[in-house]
């Protein structure tokens, strides 16, 4: 991507846009400014993840060694890494392209752009957005969750038909986005945990490392034991329409930012199994702050046991469960807010309005 600067410049000269929205190309603001274009950093990860690390005062140093300690002034004691996750602090300092690491890439882009924008809303991430605005000394514009209107699922759809064979709210749906490459053992533990719940389940995951297909990676005797109540699919499924199917009662998710918004605006109970740094912070936000989800218990080495997955699912699916009742109630409130008439479109309208004001400022 960094080697496409010339092509991007030629395209910008031909198109003459008012704005250039970017995330990883840290050279975009300098290029845009040379051409009289406003540059907007657009983040598709949560404000908490930006505030947690790539802020000017957040750099790991002798005084602030790698530790699960957020930068000074960080606005939360709960949306944080836990001590055994502190090793992730090192990741932004590994090379990320030629002659640049991820910390430099992100902070340079955010320092030099005209405004920062984030796919989030003030109601959920307000303090993190304000913190970022003060750290960078520039406007932080929010687009809201930006979700498309759900489309009706055709009745001949394979998953629609399969799901319709089960009672309302009884099926567990599990998907971990596009960047999940599990080890075979952990993959099998996940499936055994779902088996242990006794509930029907639909899993959509890539085959684990070392396996060419899902079938060859299944635990021994798994298919015979679960029979028709469990499907493990090694490819893409239409997640938003599956989440809106009445039979689906629980979503076991990695809590990528896209899935986070989709889960908040759907009915199924949420069980979170985060892996990457931003997914962990999204999870803490949902489980600890909003209290709309439960986070699976992991071992110190990041591994989780089948019993732990089963326990987390049962804690939200058992009718008498207190935790299940609490997260259901809180989740319903947030769903109502986020999907209320005009909530998302107002964010977009405001975003467009704020962009227009930036243009006026230029002239
Ligand atoms: O079988 C599938 C799997 C996923 N999806 C969709 O794909 C998107 C996945 O996005 P997301 O939940 O954000 O997961 P990732 O693809 O893993 O997202 C990457 O990018 C996100 C920011 O955009 C980060 O938060 C994550 O950590 C990073 O892994 C969602 O809209 C899902 O509905 C499907 O439709 N079908």
């Amino acid at each position: 991507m960094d080697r496409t600067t010339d092509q991007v410049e030629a395209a910008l000269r031909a198109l003459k846009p008012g704005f250039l929205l970017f995330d990883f190309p840290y050279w975009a603001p300098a290029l845009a400014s040379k051409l009289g274009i406003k540059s907007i950093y657009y983040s598709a990860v949560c404000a908490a993840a930006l505030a947690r690390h790539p802020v000017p005062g957040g750099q790991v140093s002798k005084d602030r060694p790698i530790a699960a300690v957020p930068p000074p002034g960080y606005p939360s004691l709960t949306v944080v890494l836990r001590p055994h996750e502190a090793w992730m602090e090192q990741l932004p300092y590994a090379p990320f392209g030629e002659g640049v690491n991820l910390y430099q890439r992100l902070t340079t882009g955010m320092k030099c752009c005209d405004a920062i924008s984030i796919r989030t809303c003030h109601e959920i991430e307000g303090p993190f957005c304000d913190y970022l605005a003060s750290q960078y000394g520039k406007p932080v514009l929010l687009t809201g969750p930006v979700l498309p209107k759900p489309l009706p699922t055709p009745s001949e759809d394979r998953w629609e038909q399969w799901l319709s064979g089960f009672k309302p709210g009884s099926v567990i749906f599990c998907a971990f986005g596009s960047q999940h490459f599990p080890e075979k053992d952990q993959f099998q533990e996940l499936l055994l945990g779902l088996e242990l719940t006794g509930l029907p389940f639909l899993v959509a995951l890539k085959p684990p490392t070392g396996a060419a297909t899902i079938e060859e990676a299944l635990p021994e005797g798994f298919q015979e034991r679960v029979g028709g109540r469990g499907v493990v699919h090694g490819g893409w499924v239409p997640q938003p329409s599956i989440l809106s199917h009445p039979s689906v009662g629980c979503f076991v998710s990695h809590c990528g930012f896209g899935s986070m918004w989709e889960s908040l605006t759907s009915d199924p109970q949420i069980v979170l199994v985060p892996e990457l740094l931003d997914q962990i912070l999204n999870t803490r936000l949902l489980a600890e702050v909003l209290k709309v989800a439960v986070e699976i218990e992991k071992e110190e080495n990041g591994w989780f046991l089948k019993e732990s997955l089963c326990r987390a699912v049962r804690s939200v699916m058992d009718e008498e469960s207190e935790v299940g009742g609490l997260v259901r109630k809180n989740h319903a409130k947030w769903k109502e807010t986020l999907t209320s008439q005009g909530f998302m479109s107002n964010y977009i309208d405001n975003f467009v309005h704020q962009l227009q004001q930036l243009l006026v400022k230029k002239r």
Side-chain angles (χ1 to χ4, degrees), residues 257-328:
F257 210 36
S259 297
M260 182 188 109
W261 292 117
E262 288 162 15
S263 63
L264 276 171
T265 52
S266 309
D267 290 325
Q269 297 275 63
I270 311 165
V271 170
L272 299 172
V273 188
E275 194 175 67
L276 305 182
L277 193 144
D278 78 299
Q279 300 165 5
I280 293 178
L281 298 179
N282 295 338
T283 294
R284 304 279 143 84
L285 195 63
L286 262 53
E288 312 275 330
V289 182
L290 307 185
K291 299 192 191 310
V292 297
V294 296
E295 177 179 357
I296 189 175
E297 219 172 284
K298 286 192 181 185
E299 308 295 293
E300 295 267 301
N301 61 5
W303 167 271
F304 65 85
L305 300 172
K306 55 182 185 295
E307 290 81 8
S308 171
L309 179 77
C310 176
R311 214 169 25 247
V313 170
R314 299 259 42 141
S315 79
V316 294
M317 292 296 274
D318 285 350
E319 273 179 28
E320 324 74 62
S321 161
E322 206 177 309
V323 174
L326 178 78
V327 292
R328 192 183 296 283

Side-chain angles (χ1 to χ4, degrees), residues 22-71:
F22 72 99
D23 57 1
F24 282 9
Y26 61 104
W27 38 267
L31 175 58
S33 155
K34 182 170 96 178
L35 303 176
I37 298 167
K38 294 278 182 191
S39 58
I40 313 288
Y41 181 91
Y42 181 64
S43 173
V45 299
C46 60
L50 296 186
R52 176 66 184 78
H53 212 116
V55 290
Q59 184 155 21
V60 166
S61 66
K62 264 213 279 39
D63 302 331
R64 197 175 160 269
I66 291 167
V69 179

